[in-house]
């Protein structure tokens, strides 16, 4: 029987479905990657407007206060002086479940904050883990499909999940985090947040630095063991939502300290770990944490739909002094996030009160669904024009990003072992009781999955750490 060929919607055969089209091995993703654009655009519209991912969530208003001077690295006004306060809105969420799913499910947690700065809105859109399962956006719709429901039974499938992971070795670092007790945090107040991706800072001298963002909970890390998480899912599926709301209502305002890791731009060329690979962390010994400020949540929403459900976050929302990087997953999100918001809420979603910047915006955009202001009046909606307004801004440009290489579909430039080294190191950092919980959680998820898939996945665990692999194999009753 002739094997079916992977094709695009127009019938064009796909020759590489693993790697996005970039300018050189470490260059940014190209808009001419029509396969990537088609996959992401189709994925963004696969469901009627519940969020495709991060559907179940809770949020609160707050403030961000600068506590340390980082103006040597960035000219962003939000960080311009110690003591400066900026209004914020933060939304927490699970990733794979629907709006009615349990808050305590084993799942990464979204951690997204909108900073209403005096230069416009900056969104830091991240998770409670510093890494992710995949590092190329071309694989993102496929990955999320494994977390959704089967078309026949409408049930979730561990076999789909492990089938994909067993063919994606870069996933092991995040898998190790997810199946540890950090995969079921005790509410939203007791978990960290991470930008995960590599971003850039631009300083007043127009110098570029690579940066990673960390938000460390002041309340301390608290996690649930698997049995506790399952019990709470049955007793109170809105456990984390209730905990956050009631804490703020009682005046017990949760706080997180923001830190950054800073890498000089030229370090990326020789650093042994690809600094744009979101499945890897930067060791703190090489790039230590630098304190920046404190995020505090101190006001509950008055209307969940208007403020939490309609909140729209995107990494494209940035301000002068904060920029992007050649991180392929980040580049894919720059298209996918605003695209899915336009589908879910309409093209004018940034005019909604929860998303609207605190400063006046003039850009010539007109019409579209749900336009509820004066639609720009009779002012010119083109530029340049005789009035000279709106005018281009000076001093907000970024230094050129050096890009070289032939446009092609490149795998990440890391050897196979690098996909397992940090996962093994994370396993060895865990105390014995947490290692045992990790093994129990993994084994519970893998039971019932086809033997050949389990065997393939086990190879990754052995490569990360022989003890890791052996303990999991023993728990599964597999003799090697």
């Amino acid at each position: 029987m002739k094997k079916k060929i992977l094709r695009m919607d127009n019938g064009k055969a796909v020759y590489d479905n693993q790697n996005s089209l970039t300018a050189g091995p470490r260059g940014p993703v190209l808009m001419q990657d029509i396969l990537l654009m088609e996959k992401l655009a189709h994925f963004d519209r696969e469901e009627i407007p519940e969020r495709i991912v991060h559907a179940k969530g809770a949020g609160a208003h707050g403030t961000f206060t600068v506590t340390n001077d980082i103006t040597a690295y960035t000219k962003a006004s939000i960080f311009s002086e110690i003591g400066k306060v900026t209004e914020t809105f933060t939304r927490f969420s699970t990733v794979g479940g629907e709006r009615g799913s349990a808050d305590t499910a084993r799942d990464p947690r979204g951690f997204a904050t909108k900073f209403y700065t005096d230069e416009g809105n900056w969104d830091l859109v991240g998770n409670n883990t510093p890494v992710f399962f995949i590092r190329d956006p071309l694989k993102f719709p496929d990955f999320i499909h494994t977390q959704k429901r089967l078309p026949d039974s409408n049930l979730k499938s561990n076999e789909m999940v492990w089938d994909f992971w067993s063919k994606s070795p870069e996933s092991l670092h995040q898998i190790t985090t997810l199946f540890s007790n950090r995969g079921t945090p005790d509410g939203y107040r007791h978990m960290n947040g991470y930008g995960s991706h590599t971003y850039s800072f631009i300083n007043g001298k127009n110098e570029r630095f690579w940066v990673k963002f960390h938000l460390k909970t002041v309340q301390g890390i608290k996690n649930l063991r698997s049995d506790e998480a399952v019990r709470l899912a049955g007793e109170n599926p809105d456990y984390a939502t209730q905990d956050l709301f009631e804490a703020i209502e009682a005046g017990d305002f949760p706080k997180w300290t923001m830190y950054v890791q800073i890498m000089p731009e030229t370090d990326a060329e020789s650093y042994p770990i690809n600094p744009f690979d979101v499945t890897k962390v930067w060791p703190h010994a090489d790039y230590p944490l630098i304190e920046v400020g404190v995020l505090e949540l101190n006001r509950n929403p008055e209307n969940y739909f208007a403020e939490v459900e309609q909140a729209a976050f995107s990494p494209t929302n940035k301000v002068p002094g904060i920029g992007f990087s050649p991180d392929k997953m980040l580049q894919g999100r720059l298209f996918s996030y605003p695209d899915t918001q336009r589908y879910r809420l309409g093209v004018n979603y940034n005019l909604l009160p929860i998303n609207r910047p605190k400063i006046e915006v003039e850009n010539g955009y007109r019409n579209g669904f749900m336009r509820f202001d004066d639609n720009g009046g009779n002012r010119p909606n083109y530029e340049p024009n005789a009035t000279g307004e709106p005018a281009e801004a000076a001093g907000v440009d970024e230094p050129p990003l050096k890009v070289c290489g032939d446009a092609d579909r490149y795998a990440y430039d890391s050897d196979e072992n690098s996909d397992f080294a940090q996962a093994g190191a994370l396993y060895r950092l865990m105390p014995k009781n947490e290692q045992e919980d990790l093994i129990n959680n993994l084994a519970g998820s893998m039971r019932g999955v086809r033997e050949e898939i389990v065997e393939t996945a086990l190879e990754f665990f052995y490569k990360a750490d022989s003890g890791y692999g052996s303990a999991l194999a023993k728990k599964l009753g597999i003799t090697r």
Side-chain angles (χ1 to χ4, degrees):
M1 184 176 176
K2 189 175 180 181
K3 183 181 289 188
K4 292 182 180 179
I5 298 298
L6 188 64
R7 297 183 183 278
M8 295 180 62
D9 276 351
N10 71 337
K12 180 180 181 294
V14 175
Y15 70 90
D16 187 345
N17 194 43
Q18 306 301 311
N19 304 294
S20 294
L21 187 64
T22 58
R26 291 195 176 187
V29 174
L30 302 181
M31 280 293 292
Q32 71 186 54
D33 191 346
I34 56 173
L35 173 62
L36 173 63
M37 299 303 166
E38 179 179 287
K39 284 186 74 172
L40 291 178
H42 188 281
F43 172 73
D44 291 343
R45 292 162 176 79
E46 282 184 1
E47 305 291 346
I48 57 176
E50 174 180 276
R51 283 177 169 89
I52 303 299
V53 289
H54 300 277
K56 174 73 182 294
H61 299 267
T63 57
F64 175 76
T65 305
V66 177
T67 57
N68 189 40
D69 182 5
I70 60 166
T71 55
Y73 306 113
T74 177
K75 61 186 176 185
S77 175
I78 184 175
F79 304 122
S80 60
E81 57 182 298
I82 293 174
K84 185 167 185 174
V85 178
T86 299
E87 293 181 45
T88 66
F89 184 80
T90 297
R91 183 177 185 269
F92 305 103
S93 57
T94 52
V95 177
E98 301 90 354
R99 280 188 63 187
S101 58
D103 286 350
T104 59
R106 185 169 302 283
D107 204 5
R109 302 297 191 269
F111 193 128
T113 299
K114 189 179 294 291
F115 300 82
Y116 301 98
T117 87
D118 53 18
E119 296 179 296
N121 289 353
W122 169 45
D123 289 358
L124 183 58
V125 188
N127 287 323
N128 68 324
T129 58
V131 294
F132 196 58
F133 297 95
I134 53 174
R135 55 192 172 211
D136 195 297
L138 200 60
K139 300 179 73 170
F140 186 70
D142 299 293
F143 165 61
I144 295 298
H145 285 164
T146 72
Q147 311 293 305
K148 297 295 184 178
R149 297 180 180 274
L150 291 166
D152 52 359
S153 66
N154 199 39
L155 298 174
K156 294 195 173 186
S157 167
N158 283 339
E159 185 153 306
M160 283 200 307
V161 169
W162 284 103
D163 188 23
F164 180 87
W165 284 343
S166 71
K167 296 171 178 61
S168 305
E170 70 272 24
S171 297
L172 189 61
H173 194 181
Q174 176 75 320
I175 290 169
T176 302
T177 303
L178 177 64
F179 283 90
S180 74
N181 291 336
R182 290 211 177 195
T184 49
D186 188 347
Y188 296 130
R189 296 183 298 130
H190 295 283
M191 67 181 194
N192 291 341
Y194 301 89
S196 301
H197 296 291
T198 299
Y199 291 89
S200 59
F201 272 164
I202 311 297
N203 68 10
K205 300 177 182 177
N206 227 24
E207 298 169 324
R208 178 182 285 108
F209 299 85
W210 305 122
V211 58
K212 281 187 177 288
F213 293 96
H214 303 248
L215 287 158
K216 300 286 190 178
T217 173
V218 175
Q219 292 71 236
I221 294 286
K222 285 176 65 178
N223 300 308
L224 301 168
R225 297 189 67 197
S226 182
D227 56 342
E228 297 173 299
V230 171
R231 176 180 60 81
L232 284 168
E235 292 180 356
N236 183 4
D238 301 319
Y239 171 77
T241 302
Q242 181 177 348
D243 175 74
L244 178 68
F245 187 90
E246 291 183 350
I248 295 173
E249 201 74 356
D252 183 12
F253 301 143
K255 298 181 179 66
W256 288 261
T257 304
M258 178 188 282
Y259 298 89
V260 292
Q261 287 179 284
I262 299 291
M263 177 186 288
E265 183 177 14
T266 55
D267 281 19
E269 299 170 8
S270 57
Y271 194 60
I273 299 170
N274 186 331
F276 311 121
D277 181 349
V278 74
T279 68
K280 307 288 192 302
V281 296
W282 298 355
H284 292 184
D286 295 338
Y287 300 100
L289 296 179
I290 301 170
E291 184 179 328
V292 180
V294 174
L295 173 68
E296 176 183 280
L297 303 186
N298 50 33
R299 180 165 62 91
N300 279 318
E302 295 181 6
N303 185 284
Y304 180 89
F305 179 81
E307 297 165 71
V308 182
E309 188 60 21
Q310 291 196 127
F313 299 89
S314 172
T316 55
N317 289 337
K318 71 180 192 70
V319 291
I322 302 173
F324 308 129
S325 82
D327 179 333
K328 293 183 188 181
M329 276 297 294
L330 173 59
Q331 298 255 322
R333 292 175 82 195
L334 297 180
F335 168 77
S336 187
Y337 271 60
D339 186 53
T340 199
Q341 302 295 4
R342 285 187 285 266
Y343 165 64
R344 191 174 70 89
L345 297 172
V347 70
N348 291 308
Y349 68 91
N350 273 322
L351 296 180
L352 291 165
I354 192 63
N355 300 319
R356 193 163 194 151
K358 302 296 184 185
I359 60 174
E360 184 180 359
V361 173
E362 181 62 69
N363 51 31
Y365 298 165
R366 298 289 189 270
N367 307 340
F369 288 113
M370 299 298 290
R371 187 82 195 220
F372 49 86
D373 58 0
D374 69 350
N375 198 29
N378 65 352
R379 300 184 296 279
N381 65 340
Y382 54 90
E383 192 281 327
N385 62 64
T387 70
E389 293 182 345
E392 296 173 337
V396 298
D397 57 320
E398 297 184 4
L401 176 65
K402 183 180 180 182
V403 174
C404 61
D406 299 327
D408 204 348
R409 297 189 182 276
Y410 297 93
Y412 261 83
D413 53 339
S414 56
D415 63 87
E416 184 187 12
N417 289 333
S418 70
D419 286 332
F420 311 114
Q422 292 193 354
L426 179 58
Y427 175 78
R428 290 186 292 274
L429 277 174
M430 294 180 185
K432 187 70 174 176
N433 64 310
E434 291 187 18
Q435 288 180 348
E436 291 173 356
D437 286 341
L438 169 63
I439 297 301
N440 288 334
N441 296 335
L442 285 164
S445 177
M446 297 173 85
R447 285 199 180 94
V449 175
R450 272 182 292 159
E451 184 178 344
E452 61 267 31
I453 293 174
V454 172
E455 289 281 1
T456 302
L458 268 175
E459 288 297 327
F460 299 162
F461 293 92
Y462 275 103
K463 288 179 179 179
D465 183 280
S466 59
Y468 193 4
S470 297
L472 181 55
K474 182 179 179 181
K475 194 70 181 179
L476 291 166
I478 296 174
T479 304
R480 306 198 58 158

